[in-house]
Amino acid sequence: EYRQLIGSVNELVGRINGRFGTIEYTPIHFLHRSVGFAELVALYAVADVCLITSTRDGMNLVSYEYVASQAQRHGVLVLSEFAGAAQSLDGAVIVNAWNIEEVAAALALALAMPAAQREASFRTLHKYVAKHTAAYWGTSFIAELTRVRHAADAAALLPPLPAADAAAAFRRATKRLVVLDYDGTLSATRTIPEFARPSPLALRTLQRLAGAALVYVVSGRTRADMDRWFRGVDVGLAAEHGLFYRHPPSAALGAEWRSLPAPADPLWRDAVLPLLQHYAERTPGSFVEMKEAGVTWHFRNADPEFGEWQANELRANLERVLAHRPLNIVNANKAVEVRPARVDKPAAVRAIVAELAGTTTPVDFCLAAGDGRADEPVFAYLAQEFAHVPLFTATVGRKPTAARYYVQDVDAVLSVLGKLTEPAN
């Protein structure tokens, strides 16, 4: 394959030089040999444009070397989107290397780029390259290894949730609050909503628990899904990561849906949706889910490695598109979600607790469980809010967490919740 490629390139070079070359001028110099360091740096330094058209590349150091050699000329870097460096070199002109017309247009753009724009793009590139050196990479890599080691040590010391102690404190209390994540906590995580409904066991457990406590289920699912799944169960609900929430009937605070503040401009979807749909088309197994206030790109059913690669690229592109809008780009579990700023689970839980505080009896028991990163700020908030009452916070699976305990899996969560309402021996 490589020999065939070299033959094709040689043929193309000969054809182009034969058509456009003269005795004094050769358009293309094809150097199919090793080049010494001094000569290579000299070529980098005098080049107006560096064109890199990799179709499969891990990192591509050529792009970094070119930028490092261009302090005087401020050359333009045209870089394939399939090179790993495309994720970090923000000032480059990014192209699809398979699209010949796009590459040609990018090359023409680079050659005709005004000096001021060339300099601005180069400054962005050089700032990144000058900072992220081999020494910086080595130092940050060692620091990350140390952090992971300490986090693993802390996770290994995390105790399991003491169900007997929680049940005893639950029975002694008079006003009990239970806050539960949904996906991965009450139900195994499913991408397709139709398959994510709670099991009969989960519904029976929640109904029994709701007879003795104020129970809230917090989810990233839509209001319609939550309404349908928990119809007839006396629990409070928070949908779309807390943007919408409502109290259980037993709280006597009204059963209507309430909402956290959202941006007034709905046109942000017009900027986001084409980008998400583009990644859905080019990532087999992924799809876009429209919600009332947010949009989510799911890649749970895509190839894991390729899905993560595409997700990282999508996040970088979304950050550029949404830089000045009041929106958050959230790394969900096998998903990338765009939703209004200041809307998250902690904000919803704070609003719920504040409204419960206006009732006559204070909360004197709290239990919270969740499995994701979005639940960690909830655990931290509850630790402050209920520092002087029995508090049991648990993450699903043993891992670094702000929770005080862990439970093994969804079955273990339902088992603990069931024991809360069992009569004392």
Side-chain angles (χ1 to χ4, degrees):
E1 183 181 346
Y2 184 73
R3 284 195 297 271
Q4 183 181 0
L5 176 63
I6 291 299
S8 299
V9 172
N10 267 317
E11 182 182 343
L12 286 170
V13 169
R15 191 186 309 164
I16 294 170
N17 284 343
R19 180 176 177 182
F20 298 102
T22 65
I23 296 175
E24 296 85 11
Y25 169 64
T26 303
I28 299 178
H29 295 266
F30 181 38
L31 304 180
H32 181 45
R33 58 177 173 81
S34 60
V35 179
F37 180 73
E39 184 182 358
L40 180 63
V41 173
L43 288 171
Y44 284 150
V46 300
D48 294 307
V49 178
C50 178
L51 174 63
I52 299 172
T53 56
S54 313
T55 55
R56 184 172 55 191
D57 210 341
M59 176 69 174
N60 194 284
L61 290 176
V62 170
S63 55
Y64 286 76
E65 293 167 354
Y66 175 72
V67 171
S69 305
Q70 280 289 319
Q72 301 300 320
R73 294 180 63 85
H74 305 152
V76 180
L77 175 63
V78 180
L79 182 59
S80 167
E81 65 182 34
F82 303 111
Q87 307 297 316
S88 49
L89 295 180
D90 194 27
V93 179
I94 305 299
V95 296
N96 177 354
W98 293 105
N99 189 327
I100 297 173
E101 290 78 12
E102 184 178 330
V103 173
L107 192 55
L109 173 69
L111 290 169
M113 187 176 291
Q117 186 178 348
R118 290 166 64 102
E119 183 175 357
S121 297
F122 173 78
R123 295 299 175 203
T124 303
L125 289 166
H126 189 264
K127 181 179 179 181
Y128 184 88
V129 171
K131 177 181 178 181
H132 294 83
T133 61
Y136 176 90
W137 179 86
T139 303
S140 60
F141 187 75
I142 296 299
E144 181 65 11
L145 285 176
T146 304
R147 185 195 67 78
V148 170
R149 173 62 187 273
H150 291 162
D153 291 343
L157 297 174
L158 188 69
L161 193 152
D165 293 347
F170 185 89
R171 286 191 291 269
R172 288 194 299 269
T174 56
K175 187 171 183 178
R176 311 164 184 96
L177 174 64
V178 178
V179 180
L180 303 168
D181 175 46
Y182 182 68
D183 286 290
T185 303
L186 289 175
S187 172
T189 302
R190 300 278 189 268
T191 300
I192 302 173
E194 286 73 14
F195 299 149
R197 62 177 62 253
S199 66
L201 174 60
L203 293 175
R204 287 196 304 271
T205 302
L206 290 175
Q207 185 61 56
R208 189 163 58 249
L209 185 62
L214 296 171
V215 181
Y216 290 84
V217 178
V218 186
S219 172
R221 303 291 178 178
T222 64
R223 281 194 287 182
D225 287 335
M226 300 294 282
D227 266 333
R228 187 171 66 255
W229 294 343
F230 294 98
R231 185 175 291 117
V233 182
D234 187 15
V235 295
L237 301 173
E240 298 201 25
H241 300 285
L243 177 58
F244 304 104
Y245 67 95
R246 74 179 187 194
H247 295 283
S250 57
L253 289 170
E256 71 282 356
W257 282 99
R258 311 173 190 209
S259 66
L260 297 174
D265 178 17
L267 298 179
W268 64 267
R269 288 176 184 263
D270 296 338
V272 168
L273 203 51
L275 187 59
L276 296 182
Q277 289 170 338
H278 172 69
Y279 277 86
E281 290 171 1
R282 59 187 285 187
T283 311
S286 70
F287 67 95
V288 176
E289 180 188 7
M290 299 292 296
K291 300 180 179 179
E292 287 186 72
V295 187
T296 304
W297 178 72
H298 294 276
F299 62 95
R300 179 173 301 280
N301 297 327
D303 175 79
E305 213 172 304
F306 185 61
E308 288 292 347
W309 177 286
Q310 294 289 77
N312 290 334
E313 185 180 287
L314 173 59
R315 281 189 286 266
N317 287 327
L318 284 171
E319 285 169 4
R320 285 194 286 267
V321 172
L322 302 176
H324 305 294
R325 294 177 183 264
L327 299 164
N328 285 336
I329 302 163
V330 182
N331 300 327
N333 187 7
K334 297 292 184 183
V336 177
E337 182 163 351
V338 181
R339 63 175 184 245
R342 299 182 301 278
V343 170
D344 51 24
K345 288 184 179 181
V349 173
R350 278 194 295 270
I352 289 168
V353 170
E355 291 172 14
L356 290 176
T359 58
T360 53
T361 309
V363 171
D364 55 358
F365 172 91
C366 181
L367 181 145
D371 75 312
R373 283 176 293 185
D375 300 300
E376 296 300 315
V378 174
F379 298 147
Y381 162 70
L382 293 175
Q384 292 181 332
E385 183 67 25
F386 297 112
H388 304 296
V389 303
L391 173 65
F392 297 84
T393 53
T395 187
V396 180
R398 180 177 281 184
K399 54 183 176 286
T401 180
R404 297 178 178 180
Y405 308 102
Y406 81 95
V407 289
Q408 194 63 43
D409 51 27
V410 171
D411 291 338
V413 173
L414 296 177
S415 175
V416 169
L417 296 179
K419 289 177 181 177
L420 295 181
T421 54
E422 289 179 355
N425 293 330

